[in-house]
Amino acid sequence: MSHTTFYVTTPIYYVNGDPHIGHAYTTTAADAITRFHRLAGRSAWFLTGTDEHGQKVLEAARARGLEPQAHCDAMVERWKAMMAELGIGYDRFMRTTDPDHVAVVQGALSRLHAAGELYRDTYTGWYSTAAERFWTEKDLVDGKCPDTGQPVVEITETNWFFRMSAYRDRLIAHIEEHPGFIRPASRRNEILGFLRKELGDLCISRPKERMSWGIELPFDPDFVTYVWFDALLNYLTGAGYRADGNFDDSGRWPADFQLLGKDILTTHAVYWSTMLMALGVELPRALFAHGWWTADGVKMSKSLGNTIDTLLLKEAFGLDATRYFLLREIAFGADGSFSYEAFLARYNSDLANDFGNLAHRGLSMTAKWLGGEVPPIGELTDLEQRLRRDATVAVREVDLHLGELAFQKALEAVNALVRAGNKYIDDTQPWALAKAGDDARLATVMRHVLEVCNVAAALLAFVMPERCATLLERLGQDDVGAAFRDVRERARIDELPLDALREGTPIEVGEPLFPRFREMPGVIAERLEPPAPPRPAADPTISWEDFAKVALRAGTVVSAEPHPAADRLLVLRVDIGEPRARQIVAGIADRFRPEALVGRQVVVVANLAPAELRGVRSEGMLLAAGGKAVVDLVTVDAEPGEIIR
Ligand code: MSP
């Protein structure tokens, strides 16, 4: 079977609570990349869904006094509604309770059992319901689950195990030989580090007497399958893999991109990969671990109750703006702190002032002075030549960056073109040309403005499907896909993406696409706290020489743990591009849980004299916002060691 269809997956979401911005994020990213490939004329397939078995869901059902199946049936509707609201065009919404998936899981289990990959054993471990997994004593942090910070219970039981350890060397070799397999690259080392330490076997069952909400082991009816073993296989069910171990002829597998939050990279990179190896199935082409949306540096999650409701954002700012913000605001792979103020600022700058404004200026001036039709192109000056190059660059950059799922960079590239379009209007001053009666030049200028709108709308349609389709329609382009392919083709072959519109086509001005918000929309304003007190009076000045003495460097937190003797302090190890990571003691334990800091990109004062803080040596300091109480860490998107001025 050959791989013919671009296949992308999201994690399947637990139905123990309502969806929030974190889930919307992964799903929107997957939807956007799928749309991009579809617009480009490729066959693409997008899988998402819900993870319905296991203890967490069972407990959520019990809390509502429902049977688990009835609970799941009801919750799934909420997840589907969220996705419909966000314009998510999945091809299949997988439910792990779907009969074809149950058959795939049982088929896989039977084959692994027959091949001697599974064995029965009795052991003792610490079980975390929140993370749905066992930990060893040394894994625990303060006696609690290291992933969730929730309590664990000691359990001794007989279970079925998968000989995962046997695949360790093969997996290490695979990761080393396929640099694109785990992305972004920084995460690859994390997984390699994990694998090089030690890899045990994986417990893949739960005794029914303790937890019966799962798929029964076909060879031992006293057990159900571990929820992760069941859940991960959904990616194969969605790819047309059958219970007998063969694929249908849809050509989806191996997946091109499997998107996931960094919290579940280990389960994917290690459990999933070794399961596939044992099943004799090719590994996916890329696992992409994106970062977390945080609230004040803490991951948003159902259990912490600090989540943002994406549907509220949609209500306030509209569907397209919500999708745009999610993918534009933070690099896919990095963490980002959510704030409504940042949303408003981003909306007003990129969408209202830049893109919406360009479209409105282009359309209304053409209607006013040129009879409301796409005007002809006359002689070109350097200004037009430059704009043409800008357009070609934008199209190519979008392509390039999306190959790496660098949504932020792709959207920045389009925004750069949009800004160039607005600057072009300012430079050419069409109002002066109209006044002077220079119709030929005016036509050339307005045509270029409309053409930039066309390129931008075609390029942004994968993120903002509604408004971009509207803008294209106003330009006389009814088929978004055709407009998109045309622009790309022109950028590839002709270098003429600004000759795409048809002269004489009537245009339509319409309402502004992204009206400016002068203040926070009411539905959000009423949820926000009163404004912070004014800042203290100006600080005394220092000379440049004084400032230049401070060596600021970009760094990445590689580990973080509580200080052994002080509750307020954390002991971090921070890579600042030197052979050895710096140990830094920081008074930020009130604000951040240690696990939330690993991978964060920070700014380090690198030449601060080392000091002992409550018995632990500290070799530098992190920059943070906030006076006495730390509000947030200063973050920078740069390689460790980069100089900051
Ligand atoms: N059911 C498992 C996944 C099984 S996949 C075979 C699970 N579900 S979950 O409901 O907890 O959702 C996890 C996913 O939601 C994360 O991997 C991430 O994609 C997304 N997010 C949840 N909270 C998030 C943030 N605060 N920020 C960004 N994404 C996060 O784990």
Side-chain angles (χ1 to χ4, degrees):
M1 187 206 61
S2 65
H3 176 70
T4 51
T5 299
F6 180 84
Y7 180 39
V8 61
T9 67
T10 72
I12 46 173
Y13 305 106
Y14 286 129
V15 286
N16 59 342
D18 281 323
H20 61 70
I21 194 171
H23 312 113
Y25 183 48
T26 325
T27 321
T28 302
D31 178 75
I33 194 67
T34 309
R35 278 177 196 264
F36 183 81
H37 284 273
R38 284 225 169 93
L39 287 170
R42 285 180 216 136
S43 140
W45 220 83
F46 163 22
L47 178 74
T48 187
T50 43
D51 191 352
E52 304 187 7
H53 291 123
Q55 186 143 350
K56 241 197 260 208
V57 173
L58 181 63
E59 283 179 5
R62 284 197 183 127
R64 296 172 70 209
L66 290 176
E67 285 301 313
Q69 186 68 55
H71 164 80
C72 293
D73 292 348
M75 291 303 291
V76 159
E77 293 313 315
R78 301 198 204 172
W79 286 79
K80 286 187 172 167
M82 174 277 272
M83 294 191 188
E85 291 265 5
L86 290 177
I88 303 299
Y90 52 74
D91 291 283
R92 173 162 177 184
F93 187 100
M94 175 74 63
R95 298 184 56 179
T96 49
T97 49
D98 285 343
D100 64 335
H101 174 67
V102 173
V104 164
V105 173
Q106 291 192 322
L109 283 164
S110 297
R111 271 174 282 116
L112 291 177
H113 182 243
E117 296 282 353
L118 308 178
Y119 64 93
R120 221 177 124 125
D121 196 12
T122 301
Y123 85 114
T124 300
W126 294 93
Y127 190 71
S128 159
T129 309
E132 299 258 21
R133 58 166 290 181
F134 281 98
W135 298 100
T136 62
E137 180 95 41
K138 67 177 181 344
D139 292 329
L140 305 180
V141 174
D142 291 341
K144 300 214 167 112
C145 168
D147 265 8
T148 63
Q150 301 292 318
V152 288
V153 277
E154 192 175 27
I155 293 181
T156 298
E157 64 187 22
T158 299
N159 265 311
W160 283 88
F161 291 81
F162 161 47
R163 297 185 194 281
M164 184 164 74
S165 55
Y167 293 93
R168 175 171 163 262
D169 293 349
R170 239 179 94 184
L171 181 54
I172 292 177
H174 183 87
I175 296 171
E176 285 174 342
E177 284 158 20
H178 299 82
F181 176 54
I182 296 175
R183 300 193 213 180
S186 53
R187 299 266 164 229
R188 186 182 335 132
N189 293 336
E190 198 180 292
I191 294 295
L192 282 172
F194 174 88
L195 284 170
R196 283 189 183 120
K197 266 190 258 160
E198 195 189 342
L199 185 67
D201 288 343
L202 180 67
C203 175
I204 56 118
S205 69
R206 297 292 178 257
K208 271 190 188 166
E209 57 187 28
R210 176 161 72 77
M211 215 293 299
S212 64
W213 178 234
I215 298 176
E216 189 178 286
L217 297 190
F219 46 84
D220 192 342
D222 292 340
F223 294 87
V224 295
T225 319
Y226 170 41
V227 62
W228 271 100
F229 189 88
D230 157 3
L232 289 162
L233 284 167
N234 98 88
Y235 302 132
L236 281 185
T237 310
Y241 183 76
R242 291 188 294 230
D244 64 5
N246 292 308
F247 283 94
D248 67 11
D249 56 9
S250 58
R252 288 177 212 138
W253 197 259
D256 291 86
F257 280 112
Q258 299 211 255
L259 309 190
L260 34 124
K262 64 180 185 179
D263 48 331
I264 54 173
L265 179 59
T266 315
T267 41
H268 282 76
V270 182
Y271 300 0
W272 179 222
S273 302
T274 52
M275 281 165 65
L276 287 168
M277 285 175 173
L279 286 167
V281 175
E282 209 176 320
L283 266 51
R285 297 209 168 140
L287 299 172
F288 199 112
H290 65 69
W292 287 343
W293 282 98
T294 64
D296 295 333
V298 180
K299 184 193 173 209
M300 281 181 204
S301 74
K302 293 171 267 217
S303 43
L304 291 174
N306 60 349
T307 59
I308 296 291
D309 176 4
T310 334
L311 299 186
L312 180 71
L313 292 173
K314 181 190 165 182
E315 191 185 336
F317 294 98
L319 167 74
D320 285 341
T322 302
R323 291 170 53 104
Y324 180 82
F325 178 81
L326 289 177
L327 299 179
R328 167 66 183 83
E329 193 64 9
I330 59 177
F332 203 60
D335 290 347
S337 176
F338 180 86
S339 86
Y340 291 108
E341 289 75 15
F343 196 117
L344 183 75
R346 175 67 61 199
Y347 176 97
N348 276 339
S349 72
D350 292 15
L351 299 181
N353 291 356
D354 291 348
F355 186 39
N357 193 27
L358 179 77
H360 201 66
R361 290 166 103 187
L363 293 166
S364 55
M365 291 185 202
T366 306
K368 195 163 162 197
W369 297 315
L370 294 168
E373 287 183 357
V374 173
I377 299 185
E379 221 169 287
L380 305 183
T381 70
D382 284 354
L383 290 175
E384 285 76 44
Q385 300 292 10
R386 192 180 323 142
L387 201 59
R388 284 165 173 261
R389 278 196 300 276
D390 289 343
T392 304
V393 168
V395 181
R396 290 181 183 170
E397 284 203 355
V398 167
D399 233 23
L400 189 77
H401 294 314
L402 285 184
E404 290 297 317
L405 297 191
F407 297 103
Q408 186 186 46
K409 287 188 183 155
L411 296 176
E412 269 169 9
V414 186
N415 199 243
L417 172 65
V418 167
R419 279 199 306 270
N422 275 317
K423 184 169 181 304
Y424 173 75
I425 298 183
D426 299 340
D427 290 344
T428 50
Q429 306 205 346
W431 46 91
L433 297 172
K435 203 168 167 196
D438 189 351
D439 282 357
R441 177 76 188 135
L442 180 64
T444 302
V445 166
M446 292 320 301
R447 173 69 181 268
H448 277 82
V449 175
L450 296 181
E451 293 279 2
V452 171
C453 292
N454 178 60
V455 173
L459 290 181
L460 293 172
F462 77 105
V463 174
M464 300 195 284
E466 287 185 352
R467 304 288 159 100
C468 290
T470 304
L471 176 53
L472 287 170
E473 244 175 72
R474 290 180 186 178
L475 294 166
Q477 305 267 65
D478 299 333
D479 183 338
V480 179
F484 177 72
R485 289 189 292 279
D486 187 31
V487 154
R488 286 180 87 214
E489 196 64 2
R490 284 168 185 277
R492 203 167 61 83
I493 302 172
D494 303 318
E495 302 213 344
L496 294 175
L498 295 191
D499 289 328
L501 296 174
R502 285 176 308 281
E503 190 182 322
T505 309
I507 56 115
E508 193 194 317
V509 181
E511 292 298 309
L513 292 170
F514 298 101
R516 197 181 156 77
F517 283 96
R518 295 197 185 286
E519 53 191 32
M520 195 58 83
V523 281
I524 291 175
E526 56 201 41
R527 300 194 176 207
L528 297 178
E529 291 163 21
R535 301 239 151 238
D539 297 309
T541 53
I542 56 167
S543 67
W544 162 251
E545 283 73 17
D546 280 344
F547 173 71
K549 285 181 195 152
V550 184
L552 298 176
R553 298 284 178 271
T556 302
V557 179
V558 288
S559 72
E561 47 196 64
H563 188 289
D567 286 344
R568 282 194 51 249
L569 301 179
L570 294 182
V571 182
L572 313 178
R573 291 198 325 112
V574 184
D575 175 6
I576 60 164
E578 297 171 336
R580 196 178 63 81
R582 292 279 185 109
Q583 174 164 297
I584 296 180
V585 179
I588 53 175
D590 293 344
R591 203 70 195 138
F592 298 101
R593 293 209 322 263
E595 341 51 281
L597 291 169
V598 176
R600 242 177 113 124
Q601 293 177 289
V602 293
V603 177
V604 173
V605 181
N607 61 343
L608 195 68
E612 292 267 311
L613 294 178
R614 304 287 295 273
V616 177
R617 185 177 161 86
S618 183
E619 306 159 317
M621 191 184 103
L622 300 188
L623 291 192
K628 267 208 172 97
V630 170
V631 178
D632 201 357
L633 290 176
V634 175
T635 303
V636 62
D637 191 4
E639 287 297 316
E642 191 66 61
I643 293 174
I644 295 168
R645 275 268 135 85

